[in-house]
Amino acid sequence: MTVSSVGVLLAATLLAASLQTVAEEDAPYPAAAMQRSFEAKKQAGMDRLTQDEVQALCTRYTTATLPPAEAERVQKQSLSSVKPPADGQYLGDFKRGEKIAQTGTGLQSSDDPTKPNGGNCYACHQLAASELAYGTLGPSLQHYGKLRGQTPAALEAAWRKLYNSQADVPCSNMPRFGHQKILDEQQLKDLMALLFDPNSPVNQ
Ligand code: HEC
């Protein structure tokens, strides 16, 4: 056999083996197959593959198909994780917030763990009009503060969304930035300023 046909045979055997084990395992999240396929690399440890209760539920269901009793439980549990800012001040610095929204690095094995994580907000949202590249999985956040005003209710709702998006939408696709310690309190405040400060590029 040539070297390349050995390769093809090996690949086919591996594929057949992995298809079989995936089918045998607990669909839709074949945890054991994932454990075999990944390896720990720097800060990206194997613990990343262990789903919390909400992730496991939201692998099986979407926001729309989650049974009402489970939806209520997810929302209640998510809401109880939301910590308001210790000093009661919601708004930081919008310039720092724009940088965090623009930064898509953090937590990957190839990222420098001594650097702060980004929020990667533009991957899913339109924010400043000057930024032409953005994803559309989430709604546009342009003029966010201008449209809502800085009322206590609007500030609390946005903080809750950033802290744990599933407090509002169970099985939301938006990362739970505060709850999962992706961003710290000051970073969340800076993003709040990006959303609400009248001088922020979001509100121009
Ligand atoms: C992976 C995609 C994704 C990322 C990344 C993301 N979001 Fe979201 N966001 C969503 C989706 C989807 C919604 C719509 C509601 C829902 O399903 O949770 C949303 C909703 C929101 C809302 C509520 C909008 C409203 O109309 O009240 C705010 C505020 C928000 N996101 C801010 C942010 C900020 C700030 C960042 C960056 C730190 C961010 N999001 C990152 C997906 C994302």
Side-chain angles (χ1 to χ4, degrees):
M1 248 191 286
T2 64
V3 171
S4 70
S5 60
V6 170
V8 169
L9 185 65
L10 187 64
T13 314
L14 288 174
L15 183 65
S18 67
L19 285 178
Q20 189 189 4
T21 44
V22 168
E24 278 166 9
E25 277 158 6
D26 190 19
Y29 183 72
M34 303 272 280
Q35 294 279 348
R36 282 197 302 274
S37 311
F38 286 86
E39 59 184 48
K41 210 169 173 192
K42 297 190 191 159
Q43 66 268 30
M46 295 298 278
D47 56 319
R48 297 268 179 97
L49 296 178
T50 307
Q51 294 187 308
D52 67 22
E53 193 196 351
V54 174
Q55 285 168 330
L57 260 179
C58 294
T59 300
R60 276 174 199 283
Y61 302 100
T62 64
T63 303
T65 62
L66 194 63
E70 298 287 12
E72 200 180 315
R73 203 162 57 82
V74 168
Q75 267 174 303
K76 254 198 196 151
Q77 195 179 308
S78 304
L79 192 59
S80 71
S81 84
V82 177
K83 281 196 200 79
D87 62 2
Q89 297 298 316
Y90 283 106
L91 303 179
D93 173 344
F94 73 80
K95 289 192 182 128
R96 285 199 306 247
E98 170 65 3
K99 250 197 176 153
I100 297 163
Q102 289 277 2
T103 303
T105 47
L107 298 171
Q108 300 162 110
S109 60
S110 52
D111 295 331
D112 178 351
T114 64
K115 291 212 173 112
N117 298 328
N120 209 15
C121 314
Y122 282 96
C124 294
H125 294 286
Q126 180 180 34
L127 290 116
S130 54
E131 175 53 73
L132 301 179
Y134 54 85
T136 53
L137 189 62
S140 171
L141 301 176
Q142 226 167 58
H143 300 156
Y144 191 87
K146 207 174 169 179
L147 293 171
R148 287 166 179 78
Q150 287 185 22
T151 65
L155 291 169
E156 275 167 30
W159 182 265
R160 195 167 65 231
K161 190 72 201 164
L162 295 186
Y163 205 96
N164 190 338
S165 57
Q166 304 195 331
D168 285 310
V169 180
C171 300
S172 168
N173 287 318
M174 179 162 148
R176 298 169 288 175
F177 291 105
H179 177 59
Q180 294 202 304
K181 300 191 168 58
I182 301 167
L183 302 175
D184 64 24
E185 189 184 86
Q186 186 57 49
Q187 289 179 301
L188 294 175
K189 288 183 177 191
D190 294 339
L191 286 164
M192 288 286 287
L194 177 68
L195 293 174
F196 283 97
D197 194 306
N199 298 316
S200 133
V202 163
N203 294 314
Q204 302 313 304

